[in-house]
Structure formats: C-alpha cells, structure tokens
Amino acid sequence: MRIDIVTLFPGMFQGPFSQSMIERARKKGLVQIHFVNPRDFSSDKHRKVDDRPYGGGPGMLLQAEPLVRAIESVRRRDSTVIFLSPQGAVFNQATAESLALEKHLILVSGHYEGVDARVLRYVDKEISIGDYVLTGGEIPSMVVVDALIRLIPGALGNLEGARAESLRDGLLEFPQYTRPAVWKGRRVPKILLSGNHQAIESWRKKRARTVTRRKRPDLLAA
Ligand SMILES: C[S@@+](CC[C@H](N)C(=O)[O-])C[C@H]1O[C@@H](n2cnc3c(N)ncnc32)[C@H](O)[C@@H]1O
C-alpha cells in the first residue's frame, strides 16, 4: 500500500512514523509513506497558501489552488482521496478495515480555520476522528495510518493479536492477564491456567460480551 499525506507540516510525522509498528511496516516494504507539501505548489513568491475568508470571520483558510495541485500531483487511477475533517463520518474499526484493502490513499490534512470549500470536489471521503476540533489534520492522519497499517497482513508480529482485538466483531476484548498468576493477592481466573483451549475460548467470548455490556452498551445495541 502507498499513502501520500498532504500536509504543511511533514515534520510532525517524524517521531510517530519512525518508531514501533509503523517503522517496521515501512522497513518491511508493506507500506510506502510519502509527504506532499502544498507550499511546493504555491504560485506566491513567499510560498503563501492561506488567505482570509470571504464574508469575514476569524483566521485564515487554506487556498484551493495549492491544495488541489498537491493532491493532483500524486493522484493515480486507483487513489482514494480522504480529507480529515471534523465534518466527516466518524472513524471506526470497520472503516480502518476497508481502508486497509486500498492500494493508494491520499490523506489531506487541513490547518488554520480549514480549507476553501471548493477543495471538497476533489475528495472522495471526509473522515473525522471524533466530535471535537483539533488544530490540524496531521494528528487525525496519524490516527488513520496507525489503525489501518496494523491490519495489513505481516505488519504486526502476531497477526492473531489483531484478529482477537476490541471492536473487530462489534465487541470489546475479553480481559487479558500475564505473569505472575497471583499479584497483590489477586489471582488470574483459573480457567486461563487450565490448558483447556475450548473452555478458554468460550470463557473469553462470554467475558467479551460482559465487558462490552458494562463499558459500551451502545455497541451491543448496534
Ligand atoms: C481548526 S480545524 C478547522 C475546523 C473548521 N473550521 C470546521 O469547523 O469544520 C483545522 C483542520 O483540522 C482538521 N481537524 C480538526 N478536527 C478534526 C477532527 N475531529 N477530525 C479530523 N480532522 C480534524 C481538519 O483538517 C481541519 O480542516
């Protein structure tokens, strides 16, 4: 998979994208991530890409021309262009799973007070990472990249890990424990030490439903 991230601030991605699972996936060649800076497509001699909104109001908007030229510079026939926006459909595991099947994603990060609305004609989907407003689309782009890369076969050391996780079947994950078997007087459930895989599997299914009912009843209702 190839991901092009359109951003005025590529430096923001350096830390998160050069550590842990994302770095490993890049090194293994499972994903190629590139950055496109709209400033490189500005016709202004100072590489300016923003201006005041028509009709008045606070702040500055990203101009359509440099942003669309940046998108078009990397668009292919099989590209899906996503604008990260608080106005988009709220991102969830099902969306991550469908995006993980794409060949080429272009993630467009807005900034300042947002973007000229005419840019939206060049976008296939708008995605929000939650009902709150952030300063820019960079952190939302990182969230989307992280969630979908871990679904690419081979990205996680243990693929089973991704399969059993929270939200895969609309349920939260069952409680997990590791050594020691007794800690501060609290014991790991006996069944997990029994070696009976069928019984463990059925215990986990039951506990996943109990945890979901307690913490996220909305998921069960859905
Ligand atoms: C300050 S916000 C602009 C918000 C815009 N004025 C509005 O009300 O829709 C700047 C940029 O941050 C990004 N952004 C902010 N909150 C977001 C969210 N919850 N999900 C995805 N992107 C977000 C978008 O790219 C947006 O263009």
Side-chain angles (χ1 to χ4, degrees), residues 20-49:
S20 182
M21 186 254 330
I22 298 184
E23 189 210 19
R24 278 203 309 276
R26 294 179 82 173
K27 280 197 170 151
K28 281 189 198 167
L30 298 173
V31 63
Q32 289 88 44
I33 303 178
H34 299 270
F35 298 94
V36 191
N37 192 333
R39 286 196 195 285
D40 295 338
F41 297 88
S42 166
S43 42
D44 179 81
K45 67 173 187 240
H46 302 296
R47 301 188 357 123
K48 188 171 163 311
V49 289

Side-chain angles (χ1 to χ4, degrees), residues 9 28 32 61 85 105 108 137 141 148 165 169 171 196:
F9 300 97
K28 281 189 198 167
Q32 289 88 44
L61 292 179
S85 160
L105 293 178
V108 183
S141 294
L148 66 89
E165 269 172 346
D169 303 312
L171 291 177
N196 181 340

Side-chain angles (χ1 to χ4, degrees), residues 1 82 89-102 105 125 127-128 143-144 147-152 162-163 165-171 216 219 222:
M1 168 189 274
I82 294 169
V90 177
F91 189 57
N92 62 18
Q93 192 65 18
T95 310
E97 285 177 21
S98 86
L99 293 182
L101 303 173
E102 299 280 352
L105 293 178
K125 278 185 193 142
I127 289 183
S128 162
V143 168
V144 169
L148 66 89
I149 286 186
R150 65 202 312 284
L151 297 172
I152 298 175
R163 209 169 288 136
E165 269 172 346
S166 286
L167 303 171
R168 283 227 102 174
D169 303 312
L171 291 177
R216 292 286 307 275
L219 290 177

Side-chain angles (χ1 to χ4, degrees), residues 9 12 84 86 108-112 129 133-141:
F9 300 97
M12 284 180 71
L84 283 308
V108 183
S109 312
H111 220 92
Y112 311 124
I129 63 158
V133 178
L134 298 165
T135 310
E138 284 73 18
I139 292 173
S141 294

Side-chain angles (χ1 to χ4, degrees), residues 69-91:
R69 283 182 64 200
I71 295 169
E72 296 305 315
S73 74
V74 288
R75 191 198 288 273
R76 316 188 307 209
R77 279 226 309 272
D78 58 357
S79 304
T80 299
V81 182
I82 294 169
F83 176 48
L84 283 308
S85 160
Q87 300 184 15
V90 177
F91 189 57

Side-chain angles (χ1 to χ4, degrees), residues 51-61 63-64 116-118:
D51 215 326
R52 289 190 303 275
Y54 280 119
M60 303 290 268
L61 292 179
Q63 292 171 296
D116 185 310
R118 289 169 291 188

